[in-house]
Amino acid sequence: MKKLSALLLVIASLALVACGKGEQINGHNTNTAYKSIRMIKNRLPTDNRIEYEVSFWTIRDSIKDDAEFLSTVDGKNPQQIVELGKEFYQKRKASGFKEYEQYSSWEEMIAKFGKERIEQDRSKSKNKKDQVDSSRDNVMYKLDNI
């Protein structure tokens, strides 16, 4: 009996491991694609997140049709998404895409978005600090417990 339960546990574990896509985008539908993008992004080192995210949205902005978009990103890992993002960037820049005229290269665009993200994070943390400080100065008290 012990051997049977151990065997079932091993089989179930192998089945779960075999079914998981791991670090690949699940392009079954747009919701699963977005969820897997978010999950993968959160697992990436901080330095790689911006490029990955910009790559994904560059692809998404280039491919408006959901079915085509999903088939393009389905099963791709982070490195493949970045490579595709660079390809789409180059194609759109060569075709005169107005939004990319301000950047001389992919790396420059990524650096700009990285700086913007840092500024956003600073602004958010400053706002949170201000909110905490203002709550200390608040003279309104909850009198529910009295």
Side-chain angles (χ1 to χ4, degrees), residues 65-102:
D65 180 62
D66 284 345
E68 182 183 354
F69 166 73
L70 291 172
S71 69
T72 300
V73 299
D74 186 41
K76 300 286 191 287
N77 65 36
Q79 185 59 38
Q80 291 170 320
I81 291 295
V82 170
E83 290 169 8
L84 269 175
K86 287 179 183 179
E87 287 177 28
F88 278 98
Y89 167 83
Q90 292 299 334
K91 287 178 187 175
R92 294 179 95 186
K93 183 159 177 70
S95 70
F97 187 65
K98 192 167 182 76
E99 295 292 321
Y100 294 159
E101 288 177 1
Q102 60 185 317

Side-chain angles (χ1 to χ4, degrees), residues 4-19:
L4 181 61
S5 61
L7 180 63
L8 287 175
L9 181 63
V10 169
I11 291 172
S13 298
L14 289 174
L16 288 174
V17 170
C19 293

Side-chain angles (χ1 to χ4, degrees), residues 20-122:
K21 285 192 169 188
E23 295 297 314
Q24 295 178 336
I25 296 174
N26 179 352
H28 180 70
N29 61 47
T30 54
N31 286 339
T32 58
Y34 293 153
K35 285 178 185 176
S36 59
I37 283 291
R38 217 174 338 181
M39 179 186 68
I40 293 169
K41 181 187 84 168
N42 291 334
R43 291 181 181 172
L44 288 174
T46 306
D47 296 341
N48 300 354
R49 289 180 183 176
I50 296 288
E51 187 172 31
Y52 176 72
E53 196 172 4
V54 170
S55 297
F56 175 79
W57 289 108
T58 299
I59 297 165
R60 183 60 178 140
D61 190 48
S62 299
I63 304 174
K64 302 294 184 194
D65 180 62
D66 284 345
E68 182 183 354
F69 166 73
L70 291 172
S71 69
T72 300
V73 299
D74 186 41
K76 300 286 191 287
N77 65 36
Q79 185 59 38
Q80 291 170 320
I81 291 295
V82 170
E83 290 169 8
L84 269 175
K86 287 179 183 179
E87 287 177 28
F88 278 98
Y89 167 83
Q90 292 299 334
K91 287 178 187 175
R92 294 179 95 186
K93 183 159 177 70
S95 70
F97 187 65
K98 192 167 182 76
E99 295 292 321
Y100 294 159
E101 288 177 1
Q102 60 185 317
Y103 309 112
S104 62
S105 67
W106 171 261
E107 290 76 19
E108 182 184 337
M109 183 174 76
I110 297 302
K112 181 178 182 261
F113 282 122
K115 287 178 187 176
E116 288 177 2
R117 180 65 57 89
I118 289 169
E119 290 301 318
Q120 288 173 352
D121 291 345
R122 284 183 187 157

